[in-house]
Every structure is written in C-alpha cells, then in structure tokens.
Amino acid sequence: GSAGRGAGVLGGSAASSRCRYHVFLSFRGETRKAFTDHLYIALDHAGYHTFRDNNEIERGESINSELEKAIQQSRISIIVFSKDYASSKACLYELLIILQCSRTSGQVVLPIFYDVDPTEVRNQTDSFSESFAGYEEQLKPETNYGRKMELAKKVRVWREALKEVVDLAGISRPEKFPLESLRLVSVHDIFLVIITCRQESKFIKQIVKVIGDKLSRTIMSVAMYPVGIRSQAKAINLWLQDASMDVSAYAIWGMGGLGKTTIAKYVYNLNFHRFADSSFLANIREVSKQPRGLIQLQSQLLSDILKRRKDRITTVDEGIVKIKDAICAKRVLLVLDDVDDVEQLNAILGMCDWLYPGSKIIITMRHEWLLKPHAVYKIHEIEKLDDEASIKLFSWHAFGQEYPTEQYMEHSQRVVHHCGGLPLALQVLASFLSRKTLDIWDSALAKLQAIPNSQIIEKLKISYDSLEDDHDKNLFLHIACFFCGEDKYFVVKVLDACGFYSYIGIQNLVDRCLVTINNEDKIMMHQLIQDMGREIVRQESPKEPAKRSRLYMASSAILFGTEGNDGMNTSMHLLNSLGALKVLNLCYSRKLMETPDFSGFRNLERLILKGCQSLLGVGETIGFLERLALLNLEDCKNLRKLPKNISMLQLLETLIISDCSNLDEFPTELTKMESLKECFNLVTEGTSFVLIEHNILEDKFGRGRLFSIRLLEERSRSNGGDRESDECGFGGATGRRAASIGGGGGGQEEEPVSSHDPVVAAEEGSG
C-alpha cells in the first residue's frame, strides 16, 4: 500500500515512535469507492494527514511492515466496520495492532459502524457469524496439531478484540434509528459512529469535527528515550483508567531530576482522550513568580477546558469563580506540574468538590507537606533508576544505542555510579561526554569529584532555595558537609547544642526530598544532593577555603593531606585562622603525620582524626582545647603515644582509640580526668593492652566501684554510603570490633551482659 499525504513529524507521543499521521483508516474493500473514499477526501481537505492502503487486492493473512508502522505512527485510528470486515484476516490483524496502540501509547480509536449494528460486531452475528464460521471450518481438515491450535487461538483473539472495541464504549443494542441519522456515543476512550443511511455527507462532516476536537488537544513532548518510565507510570495509568466516578488526585512526589514531569506528560498523553476535556499546566512554580502569574495559569486552564480564547481575568478571586463554573459540568483531567506552594493549589484548583464526578487531578511536587491536610490524595514517590536502566538511559544519550561500546563500558559504569540513578544527571553527562575521547572522559570524571556539573546543581538547588529560612538552609549545609550517614539522635544532639532546632529542621528537609531517614535511623542523602550542598559552600570562596563557612574535605581544602612542608605550613595557617570552629573532621587524611598547633582552636568541641594512618602522635597543644568533648583516633594504626597533657581536657567525655594497634603508651594522667565517661579501644588477643587499661581504670574509679570490659558487635556499614567521609565517626565505637570500658557506679543500672559476650568484671573491696 501507499501512504496518504504528509510525512512530517506531528508532535511527541507517549510512545517512543513519533507520529507521522493524524489518522489511520482501517476498512474493507467494499467501502473503498464509497463511504471510505468520501471520508478520506473530507479529512484531507480539513488538513489532516491520513493513511489509507491503496492496494485493493487481498493482502493475505498478515499485514506488511509498512502498514503496521503506519498504525503505530498515527494519533487516531478510524475503523470502518462493514458487513464483510471480519472476512478479511488482514483487517482483523489491523484491529489487533490498533487496540494494542490504544492500550500502550494512548492512540484514540474511532469505530464507525457502516450498515451494521454494534451488537453484530460484539456478538459476531449475521455476516460476522458467517465469517467466523468459515474460520472454524478451516480448523476441521487441519491435521497438524500445532498449526490447528495456533489458528484456533487466532480466532479466539479476534473474537475478543471485536467484543472489546464495542464494550469499551458501553454500547447496548440501539433502538430503531430514524432514517438518515447518526449516533455518536462517547464513553471513556472509544467513540462509536453508527451510520444507518445513504446520505453520508452530513455525517462525515460530524466525524471530521470529532477528529478535529481530539487532535486539538496538545500532546506533551516526552523524553526521547523513555527508559524506566512505563514501570513508574503503571499504577497511575491504572488509576486514570478506573471507571469510578469518584473525584480524586494523584501526587507525583520526589527530589529534583527524577523525572516527575516526564512521567506526568507520559500518563497525560496516554489518557487525556478518556476525558471530555483536559489541561496540562506546566512549570507552575516558575510561572507563578511572574507578574500576574497565577492569573496567567487560571486563564490557560479556562482556555483548555472551554476551547476558546483566554478569558480576561482581573483578579485571582475572579479566576477561581470562573474555574469553578468550568470544571463542575464535565469530566476533566487536570495536570498541575511543579507545585511548590499552597496558594498555587488554591488559586488553580480550589476545592475538589467543585469537580464533576469522575474527574482526575495529577500534581507533581517536591514538597510532600503540601498535601498532608488533603486525605483524598494518593501519593506516588518516584524511585531512582536501577543500575540496568541507568546504563541504558546513559548509553542512548551518549552513544545512540542500548549499551555502551566495549571500549567505553568501564567509564560509562563510573558515570552511572556517580549519578546514583538520577535521570537528569545521566542525560546531562551523557550529552556532554558524547563523541569525546577517553582522555576527555577521564579528565571530566576527575573534575566531577571536585566540582559538580553546574547544570545538575542548578536543578537540584531549587529544593534548597525553597527552604523557608536561613535556619533550615544552614542545617542542610551542616548535614551535607559533616553528618551524612550519621545517627539521627547524635546529629540532633550535636546541632541542638549549636543552637539549631534540629527535629523540625530535619523534617522540613525530608519533606523537600533533601534528606531521608533510613531503617537504622541514620540521616542519608543522595550523593548528588550532598555534592550540591558542598558546592554551595565551596562557592562562598572558591580560592580561599579559610573564608568558607565550613571545611569538610581533606583533599580539597589544602588540609593536612598535602605533601611537603609548604603544604603543611599552609594547612596549619589556614586552620589556625578558624578560631570559632566547633567540629574539625580530618578523617582519612592518610598523609597526615602530625597534628597542627591547636592553640588557636579554643572553641573546638569535637576532633575527628579517624583513619589517619600516617599519624605518629598528637601534639601537646591539644591541651589548649578547653571545650573538647570528643576525640576520635580510631584506626590511626601508626599512632604510638598520647600526649600527657590530655589530662588538661576538663570537658573530654569520649575517647576513641579502636584499632590503634601500635599505641604502646597509655598515659596514667587519664586517671585524673573526672569528665571522661567513655573510652573505646580494640581488644587485641595476645597483648597486655587490656590489663593496662584495667589497672588505669581501677585507679580512676577507685576501690569498691564496678567496671567492665565488653566486646561490642561489629556494626554494619551497609547504609553508610560509599565515601570514606560518610564513615567518619563523630561519637561511639564505630566500624571495628571494640571494647567498651566504663564505670558502673553513680547509681546507674549496669546493662545485662549476654553469655556470648566476653566480659571482665571486678568488684574491689567487697571482701
């Protein structure tokens, strides 16, 4: 066959294939030179690109690939059912493809019953019965069991398809039609045109009008490579296709860059034709910021629903009244994209009880708290892409194929790991790296570790900018720099002591998808969200770290990890300018051999040196840290001694020296420290280290007081993130098998010890 007029792309569709045609005509040859020819000419004159097969001979038992492709690339399929329609297997194959496109890509189906009753089609009676009787006869002489079962299955599927195309419209057997009449019935997504006369021109005009109404609705442009969208949209599609007459709303919620708007466009394209009218209000957050922005959105909604030029609206209140009148009389589908304020919902939507029964609303947002007062909302939280979908999406954008070439596979996997399942990041970086050499890839990946991609950061930063005050913004930056992966209770304790209102602040961050709380009550953050927070801090002073509000990375802030004396002197000068610093986290600075002069850190409360495996000793100036409450030296494997004037730390409560396997001097001055409540240290079999602690603590706590040495179970790091900075302990014995030594006096009840825990306990002076 040959195509009808026009081959240009008509617009995006919900499927990955693009629409080339407005209309596909499916018909039996008996109507070709009469009704179908007249309809084709009318559609052509109306400017609609229409595909019809011009081959008049029987096409056999299947349809060619060109015909199948034409169906898939059409926005509307018109099926002209005539008396001999079912006698053509090719027509029945076309019907199957058309219904499949209706289910998967939102294609509009318009059946026209030409001189046949819909019940003849549904029940396969009269001429349709004769056609299927012929197919049943073909089964009888077939001796090959496989071929016989295959044909029987085809006949069953054809019968079901004919029933489906009528039943979806809810048609019952019609009464006698007046001569020269047309009946147009619309229920859900199928439109039936029943023709019972020979004067067809007026009916064809009405059919063209119906086509025009359906095509006038704007199809939203969806992602070029919609990887992972269909699975995310499945539940929303089922909800939209529910025939219930309840009014309800569905919120698509999640962090920036996950594809909320893309999924909303996808389900809108699939389902808008199921409703009398529809409207997709895009980018509400940005539009509402403009002068008369809310009024502009109200006008757009009224124009979409009422099918006329935008009404003049002078105030938001006037717009609310007009919207109420417009949406109360018919079943509508509304999509409100990127809502970030209750005022926007009230101005555009008002109350759900305004809506006509069966209407549906979809809202995309980053802020879950907007919906909490409204019980009628369903909430769908968008999930990150898994590794398989991520590599596919990245590959399509970078290489134009499903998987990367072998040469680029390892580099592609590194990019995918960096993106953490965020579609926006995958697309941006793929587009940037496309057609670049491996040297460029290596350089770009190295740069991303220090300076995140600005396009991704700006998109993610929208949620940060929406925080209501400096309190929550500073709280977020503290967590991004220091507390990702830490226990929520510990973080609250630290930040509350710094003047924050941490519980309400953390909840505000959760509501905006900036942080999550996992099953172990740890505060977690998407890697790119953390990068965004740290980049905000870096931008405060890109070249002079000392002028930033926070220092967090040993590798980037010329901290003690630099080689040579010049680097050390620069680092010491930098840190000594930070007299107001309360928390200094230098964990995993593997080239750090000695600590700086601490005399300028009078306000320091927590010093974390975990994993500094080149550190040989802690300088005596640590005695100047009058407010230090925690000192974490875990896994400093080359540390040989602690300074004697550690006893000057009058507020030190917690000392962590787990895995300091070369520590051979444990100062007896610790016995003078009344403030010390916890000391965590590795129990190493075959050494006298436990005995040393035993003697020290016996002196410290005195005779008649109970103490114990307990082996702690190793704590899982499965939720601690991949970066070493997330494993830095701010308190408690973390990560290694450790012994906890603590006084049992003071009126506190001793914790029960299970039989499998090795315990050394002594009670002095008990006789």
Side-chain angles (χ1 to χ4, degrees):
S2 62
R5 299 171 65 246
V9 177
L10 301 177
S13 72
S16 59
S17 61
R18 298 181 179 181
C19 292
R20 294 184 61 197
Y21 307 102
H22 291 111
V23 180
F24 177 88
L25 281 176
S26 175
F27 59 94
R28 191 71 171 96
E30 60 186 316
T31 67
R32 176 183 300 277
K33 294 184 178 180
F35 174 77
T36 300
D37 190 51
H38 300 156
L39 177 58
Y40 175 82
I41 292 171
L43 291 168
D44 182 69
H45 287 171
Y48 301 127
H49 300 293
T50 304
F51 183 102
R52 71 169 176 180
D53 179 33
N54 290 324
N55 189 353
E56 298 189 37
I57 64 172
E58 176 63 42
R59 288 171 285 165
E61 295 194 359
S62 63
I63 62 176
N64 61 42
S65 59
E66 182 187 359
L67 210 59
E68 182 174 350
K69 189 175 181 180
I71 296 173
Q72 295 168 345
Q73 294 181 340
S74 299
R75 287 180 59 181
I76 297 177
S77 281
I78 295 178
I79 307 171
V80 182
F81 284 115
S82 57
K83 292 187 180 299
D84 286 340
Y85 186 89
S87 66
S88 168
K89 293 180 180 179
C91 285
L92 294 173
Y93 278 111
E94 285 181 8
L95 175 63
L96 295 180
I97 297 172
I98 289 168
L99 289 177
Q100 179 66 18
C101 289
S102 175
R103 299 185 199 106
T104 60
S105 63
Q107 187 178 100
V108 177
V109 181
L110 188 96
I112 297 175
F113 295 83
Y114 185 83
D115 282 343
V116 295
D117 193 292
T119 56
E120 293 178 40
V121 179
R122 178 197 291 121
N123 301 325
Q124 291 102 57
T125 58
D126 298 336
S127 61
F128 281 76
S129 175
E130 294 172 8
S131 297
F132 277 92
Y135 297 139
E136 300 288 350
E137 284 295 320
Q138 294 177 21
L139 291 172
K140 293 179 181 178
E142 180 61 64
T143 56
N144 184 292
Y145 179 78
R147 284 199 295 268
K148 188 170 187 175
M149 289 298 99
E150 183 181 358
L151 181 56
K153 180 181 178 181
K154 288 179 181 177
V155 172
R156 184 174 68 255
V157 171
W158 290 335
R159 287 186 181 277
E160 292 171 354
L162 290 168
K163 185 175 186 299
E164 178 183 352
V165 80
V166 180
D167 284 351
L168 282 176
I171 287 293
S172 57
R173 184 176 182 83
E175 299 296 329
K176 258 189 181 181
F177 297 125
L179 194 60
E180 300 182 2
S181 68
L182 172 145
R183 185 179 179 198
L184 179 63
V185 184
S186 167
V187 180
H188 307 315
D189 59 339
I190 303 293
F191 293 81
L192 303 186
V193 181
I194 304 163
I195 296 178
T196 59
C197 70
R198 299 189 182 279
Q199 296 181 358
E200 300 162 347
S201 60
K202 66 169 67 174
F203 308 120
I204 287 176
K205 287 181 181 178
Q206 292 188 42
I207 293 170
V208 172
K209 186 176 183 298
V210 171
I211 296 294
D213 177 63
K214 293 298 148 190
L215 291 175
S216 67
R217 303 196 194 181
T218 303
I219 290 181
M220 308 306 296
S221 175
V222 183
M224 184 179 297
Y225 305 112
V227 177
I229 292 178
R230 183 174 296 180
S231 59
Q232 292 267 28
K234 184 176 181 181
I236 307 172
N237 271 328
L238 291 174
W239 169 74
L240 285 169
Q241 294 163 17
D242 180 10
S244 168
M245 297 306 287
D246 293 337
V247 173
S248 55
Y250 217 119
I252 303 176
W253 174 66
M255 65 178 280
L258 277 176
K260 300 181 293 297
T261 298
T262 300
I263 292 171
K265 288 178 178 179
Y266 177 82
V267 297
Y268 177 83
N269 286 349
L270 281 179
N271 297 282
F272 71 81
H273 59 270
R274 302 176 187 275
F275 298 81
D277 280 302
S278 59
S279 179
F280 191 110
L281 297 182
N283 206 11
I284 288 175
R285 174 180 54 82
E286 285 298 325
V287 175
S288 62
K289 292 177 182 178
Q290 301 171 6
R292 293 173 56 85
L294 289 177
I295 291 176
Q296 180 182 337
L297 291 164
Q298 291 176 325
S299 297
Q300 181 63 52
L301 175 59
L302 288 170
S303 175
D304 292 342
I305 298 300
L306 299 177
K307 295 292 186 295
R308 64 190 186 208
R309 283 201 285 180
K310 294 180 181 179
D311 287 13
R312 178 172 176 77
I313 301 173
T314 56
T315 67
V316 171
D317 289 341
E318 179 188 349
I320 291 173
V321 173
K322 289 187 175 183
I323 289 173
K324 179 179 179 181
D325 291 340
I327 63 178
C328 69
K330 51 187 171 181
R331 189 169 175 265
V332 297
L333 170 63
L334 306 179
V335 178
L336 312 182
D337 172 53
D338 198 11
V339 174
D340 73 341
D341 191 273
V342 174
E343 184 182 2
Q344 297 160 4
L345 282 177
N346 293 338
I348 300 168
L349 187 59
M351 301 298 293
C352 279
D353 56 12
W354 296 355
L355 290 156
Y356 191 79
S359 294
K360 307 276 189 180
I361 307 105
I362 296 173
I363 304 171
T364 72
M365 58 178 55
R366 302 182 186 213
H367 311 330
E368 185 184 18
W369 62 270
L370 287 172
L371 298 179
K372 288 183 178 177
H374 305 279
V376 294
Y377 288 91
K378 296 175 181 289
I379 297 179
H380 176 75
E381 184 175 359
I382 301 297
E383 299 175 354
K384 298 180 293 184
L385 294 179
D386 60 25
D387 290 344
E388 178 71 10
S390 293
I391 198 72
K392 286 182 179 180
L393 181 61
F394 178 80
S395 182
W396 278 115
H397 283 275
F399 306 103
Q401 59 190 40
E402 191 171 26
Y403 290 101
T405 60
E406 183 177 354
Q407 182 184 11
Y408 283 86
M409 178 60 79
E410 182 183 350
H411 287 72
S412 297
Q413 289 172 339
R414 288 167 60 191
V415 177
V416 165
H417 178 73
H418 173 81
C419 293
L422 196 68
L424 168 73
L426 291 163
Q427 294 173 38
V428 168
L429 295 181
S431 299
F432 169 71
L433 293 169
S434 181
R435 298 186 177 89
K436 301 289 196 308
T437 64
L438 284 175
D439 289 341
I440 299 295
W441 281 57
D442 283 328
S443 180
L445 285 166
K447 180 183 176 184
L448 284 173
Q449 299 304 314
I451 305 175
N453 179 276
S454 60
Q455 189 176 346
I456 299 170
I457 293 301
E458 286 305 310
K459 183 73 172 179
L460 298 178
K461 193 170 175 283
I462 293 171
S463 293
Y464 169 82
D465 290 336
S466 74
L467 292 169
E468 295 180 359
D469 48 47
D470 289 341
H471 172 277
D472 288 358
K473 290 181 178 179
N474 280 313
L475 187 74
F476 167 75
L477 295 178
H478 280 323
I479 293 173
C481 291
F482 306 120
F483 297 111
C484 185
E486 292 295 332
D487 180 78
K488 179 182 175 182
Y489 173 77
F490 167 72
V491 175
V492 168
K493 181 179 178 182
V494 172
L495 293 179
D496 277 357
C498 296
F500 285 90
Y501 304 96
S502 303
Y503 276 114
I504 183 62
I506 290 172
Q507 186 57 52
N508 289 339
L509 301 183
V510 170
D511 288 342
R512 284 168 170 78
C513 304
L514 289 169
V515 303
T516 59
I517 310 298
N518 71 7
N519 293 333
E520 294 186 359
D521 216 28
K522 294 180 183 299
I523 298 179
M524 307 303 293
M525 188 178 288
H526 190 282
Q527 186 61 69
L528 295 180
I529 292 286
Q530 184 179 31
D531 289 347
M532 178 266 291
R534 293 181 167 186
E535 178 63 9
I536 291 172
V537 173
R538 191 188 74 85
Q539 287 292 343
E540 294 171 353
S541 179
K543 295 183 179 180
E544 297 185 61
K547 293 183 178 180
R548 299 175 193 167
S549 60
R550 298 157 183 85
L551 289 177
Y552 53 87
M553 292 174 63
S555 61
S556 70
I558 47 174
L559 297 181
F560 310 132
T562 57
E563 295 187 25
N565 293 330
D566 289 341
M568 180 62 69
N569 292 334
T570 303
S571 300
M572 294 169 62
H573 173 73
L574 167 66
L575 290 176
N576 286 333
S577 66
L578 301 174
L581 201 64
K582 291 189 176 183
V583 178
L584 181 58
N585 181 1
L586 302 176
C587 62
Y588 296 102
S589 299
R590 291 199 168 96
K591 296 182 181 179
L592 175 64
M593 300 181 67
E594 59 182 83
T595 57
D597 182 354
F598 287 119
S599 58
F601 289 73
R602 304 280 179 165
N603 292 303
L604 198 65
E605 296 177 2
R606 294 174 181 265
L607 175 59
I608 299 96
L609 299 169
K610 176 181 177 180
C612 297
Q613 295 186 359
S614 298
L615 186 65
L616 300 175
V618 178
E620 294 291 339
T621 56
I622 197 171
F624 288 101
L625 303 181
E626 301 168 352
R627 299 186 180 182
L628 194 68
L630 177 143
L631 175 58
N632 187 346
L633 296 165
E634 180 183 349
D635 200 25
C636 294
K637 295 188 181 299
N638 283 304
L639 184 66
R640 298 191 177 278
K641 64 178 181 178
L642 295 177
K644 293 182 179 180
N645 66 355
I646 198 172
S647 60
M648 296 172 61
L649 304 178
Q650 307 258 334
L651 299 180
L652 186 66
E653 296 180 352
T654 302
L655 173 63
I656 304 173
I657 48 176
S658 306
D659 266 356
C660 295
S661 51
N662 285 308
L663 186 62
D664 51 19
E665 292 186 28
F666 198 89
T668 56
E669 284 80 359
L670 283 177
T671 60
K672 302 174 183 179
M673 299 180 65
E674 294 295 330
S675 62
L676 191 61
K677 296 178 180 178
E678 297 177 304
C679 178
F680 298 97
N681 179 60
L682 176 71
V683 175
T684 307
E685 186 177 355
T687 73
S688 59
F689 203 39
V690 171
L691 182 59
I692 293 172
E693 291 187 81
H694 182 290
N695 294 334
I696 291 171
L697 288 170
E698 180 180 342
D699 292 338
K700 170 176 166 53
F701 293 114
R703 305 177 70 82
R705 300 190 60 187
L706 182 69
F707 70 90
S708 66
I709 301 174
R710 177 194 307 267
L711 288 181
L712 302 179
E713 293 297 325
E714 183 174 15
R715 191 172 73 178
S716 170
R717 292 180 176 178
S718 59
N719 292 302
D722 294 322
R723 288 192 175 179
E724 291 175 331
S725 59
D726 292 340
E727 298 173 1
C728 300
F730 282 78
T734 64
R736 298 288 193 271
R737 192 166 176 81
S740 170
I741 302 104
Q748 292 183 339
E749 184 177 347
E750 187 71 6
E751 256 186 79
V753 178
S754 61
S755 59
H756 62 271
D757 278 339
V759 174
V760 179
E763 185 170 343
E764 299 291 330
S766 60

